[in-house]
Amino acid sequence: MTLGRLGGVYALLHASHMVGDHWVQTNPEAQRKGDEGPEGRKACAMHVATLTATQVVFLAAGALAAGERLNPRRVVIGLAVNAVSHYAADRRGYGVLPKLADMLAWTGKDQFYELGDGKAAPCGTGAYALDQSWHVGFLAVAAAIIGGGRRD
């Protein structure tokens, strides 16, 4: 793996994450993905499925434009890791974010999770920043998986 290849895969994953998380995700998915029960799980699964499909499109278009061949096995594994981590975070009260808030309390930064009221700046809350930083961290892991190994 070269750092250039890793950077290219990461850029495609990050861009497709932003599009999939903010443009492709439907309002009902966004509102219900954290709900308890089967409807919440279904909404979150649908969001993750469309997010992953968006990432596949971006990776395929980017590889085609760059004349690169990505290892299909690595793509599947990397996207699966990303999908599982995304689902885990987006289940809200049933996912990992409350546990991240607990970790912030352990580090003395517990007020960060509650930062902002979500009305004046809905994307400027501490919970949103934690959510996105969780996703970005796993995008880097996915990029390392996808871009790693021998060039095929």
Side-chain angles (χ1 to χ4, degrees), residues 75-145:
V75 171
V76 168
I77 293 168
L79 290 179
V81 166
N82 189 66
V84 168
S85 74
H86 201 100
Y87 183 91
D90 279 11
R91 286 295 289 139
R92 295 187 188 133
Y94 307 98
V96 296
L97 286 182
K99 288 152 188 71
L100 292 176
D102 291 343
M103 284 181 9
L104 286 174
W106 181 74
T107 63
K109 297 180 180 180
D110 48 318
Q111 293 178 348
F112 183 74
Y113 184 82
E114 300 295 330
L115 181 69
D117 63 6
K119 294 177 185 158
C123 292
T125 65
Y128 177 79
L130 280 173
D131 174 74
Q132 290 302 301
S133 63
W134 172 269
H135 295 325
V136 167
F138 275 96
L139 290 173
V141 172
I145 293 168

Side-chain angles (χ1 to χ4, degrees), residues 12-35:
L12 292 167
L13 288 176
H14 191 253
S16 60
H17 164 82
M18 297 306 287
V19 171
D21 222 22
H22 299 106
W23 286 88
V24 176
Q25 179 176 207
T26 67
N27 251 4
E29 289 167 356
Q31 293 170 355
R32 295 184 183 125
K33 66 186 177 184
D35 290 353

Side-chain angles (χ1 to χ4, degrees), residues 40-72:
R41 290 190 295 272
K42 180 181 174 186
C44 194
M46 288 301 299
H47 164 52
V48 171
T50 59
L51 172 80
T52 303
T54 303
Q55 291 172 322
V56 168
V57 169
F58 273 64
L59 284 171
L64 184 64
E68 288 274 344
R69 268 190 56 170
L70 297 174
N71 181 315

